Amino acid sequence: MKTVLMTGAKGGIGTFLRKELKGKYAFRLSDLGDVADLAANETSVPADLSDFEAVRQAVKGVEGVIHLGAFSVEGSWQTIQEANIIGTYNLYQAAHEAGVKRIVFASSNHAVGFYARSDTIDHSVYPKPDTRYGVSKVFGESLASLYADKYGIESLCIRIGNVADRPVDHRRLAIWISPRDMAQLTELGLEHPAIRFEIVYGMSDNVPHAWWDNSNAYRLGYVPMDRSDDFTEEVFKNCPEDTGDPRADHYQGGSFVSTESGGDPTKPDME
Ligand SMILES: NC(=O)c1ccc[n+]([C@@H]2O[C@H](COP(=O)([O-])OP(=O)(O)OC[C@H]3O[C@@H](n4cnc5c(N)ncnc54)[C@H](O)[C@@H]3O)[C@@H](O)[C@H]2O)c1
């Protein structure tokens, strides 16, 4: 059984993945504090990602990393810088020094949040982050690319939409991913023999609502088991289609594009 470090293990996705991937890996679970309720194949190694020495200890002897640890919404520059920029650098550099060869990086749809919903984008588009948080995910993807080309660390970067048991609004009909589909992509990222540096979108089978062409994930063998369209009726019954914020409704990043925004949302770049 491979030993895999999971950072951010106390968070929402970490909790889902521990359940979905139970018994498949010996998990070294890391977060700011100790992780409770450890299963037989789990150990807890607390580490602040901004502390290089602590991260160095956490990666020692592991065969793969699931890097979830981050400030996971928009935050001040200092907060984003410490947890996401310095934290992700520390993780990659410590992995390099320890000879770890495979990392699954939790990127985000907010790396491309300023694409319009009328655009269909694939893994190769130029980033258009919608927040400092989104910039930190673009940074993480760039770092993964650098460490692949320079040092041979292989990474799957998953631009995650929204991991939840069900999509709860119109935007999430496009970007939702179920916990078991997220687990499938994560396992693929840890196990696929031919990954060097790849970007995929973390969504279930979201036809006809999706804005993303996820052919790169399909090329790697991803076969989503869940469909957001199964929840269309429920969402249409419970949610208004417009949020009342034209900018948020226009762009893929939703309300993240509106935080601290200036300018006129009816300007030509909206066409
Ligand atoms: N949940 C989603 O749908 C979603 C969507 C897009 C991207 N993501 C990304 O996936 C990852 C996991 O998301 P989540 O929803 O579980 O987030 P979460 O906020 O629930 O969990 C993140 C965890 O990281 C830990 N953390 C924060 N700063 C840290 C630091 N300096 N050192 C060590 N640990 C630290 C937190 O304590 C927390 O337990 C994040 O990187 C997030 O940006 C999540």
Side-chain angles (χ1 to χ4, degrees):
M1 195 184 270
K2 276 187 190 161
T3 302
V4 170
L5 170 68
M6 182 190 291
T7 68
K10 289 173 85 167
I13 297 182
T15 305
F16 280 133
L17 290 182
R18 284 173 67 196
K19 202 169 135 210
E20 295 290 336
L21 298 175
K22 199 176 178 145
K24 293 195 167 175
Y25 298 99
F27 276 124
R28 190 178 295 175
L29 304 174
S30 190
D31 208 297
L32 285 168
D34 253 320
V35 179
D37 306 324
L38 295 176
N41 61 340
E42 295 178 335
T43 53
S44 172
V45 185
D48 185 331
L49 287 161
S50 65
D51 175 350
F52 183 71
E53 190 47 39
V55 179
R56 217 165 62 85
Q57 294 303 328
V59 299
K60 243 186 212 163
V62 306
E63 290 155 280
V65 179
I66 305 171
H67 182 41
L68 305 171
F71 194 77
S72 61
V73 289
E74 179 61 321
S76 71
W77 170 239
Q78 195 184 343
T79 300
I80 295 292
Q81 187 186 21
E82 281 174 12
N84 300 13
I85 304 273
I86 295 173
T88 301
Y89 174 79
N90 284 347
L91 192 274
Y92 269 85
Q93 180 59 24
H96 166 50
E97 290 179 17
V100 180
K101 284 289 169 232
R102 188 58 74 96
I103 297 177
V104 176
F105 171 58
S107 185
S108 168
N109 66 90
H110 295 292
V112 288
F114 263 115
Y115 279 95
R117 296 183 185 194
S118 52
D119 294 328
T120 301
I121 59 172
D122 72 4
H123 60 287
S124 68
V125 295
Y126 197 79
K128 272 178 166 290
D130 56 25
T131 40
R132 288 178 288 275
Y133 165 71
V135 169
S136 77
K137 295 302 185 181
V138 176
F139 171 82
E141 292 179 0
S142 294
L143 204 64
S145 173
L146 174 70
Y147 276 69
D149 291 338
K150 202 171 272 275
Y151 305 119
I153 294 186
E154 299 156 345
S155 285
L156 180 71
C157 301
I158 308 177
R159 285 183 183 159
I160 303 167
N162 180 248
V163 186
D165 289 323
R166 60 211 304 120
V168 295
D169 58 25
H170 290 269
R171 179 170 175 269
R172 280 176 262 207
L173 285 174
I175 69 166
W176 172 68
I177 180 167
S178 67
R180 63 178 175 172
D181 284 347
M182 182 66 205
Q184 186 192 147
L185 273 180
T186 303
E187 197 176 347
L188 194 151
L190 290 171
E191 302 296 339
H192 194 292
I195 285 175
R196 179 184 169 93
F197 166 77
E198 298 290 345
I199 292 174
V200 297
Y201 288 91
M203 67 167 174
S204 287
D205 173 4
N206 292 349
V207 172
H209 306 283
W211 309 313
W212 304 327
D213 167 354
N214 212 8
S215 49
N216 203 35
Y218 297 135
R219 186 182 64 82
L220 293 169
Y222 175 51
V223 184
M225 299 175 75
D226 294 299
R227 293 159 29 96
S228 69
D229 204 30
D230 292 343
F231 300 90
T232 299
E233 213 178 302
E234 183 179 300
V235 167
F236 272 74
K237 202 171 89 197
N238 296 329
C239 281
E241 205 158 342
D242 294 338
T243 63
D245 175 348
R247 188 184 284 263
D249 287 337
H250 181 79
Y251 289 109
Q252 298 189 3
S255 61
F256 276 48
V257 305
S258 297
T259 58
E260 302 165 28
S261 66
D264 177 357
T266 63
K267 270 189 173 168
D269 73 348
M270 304 274 305
E271 299 308 317

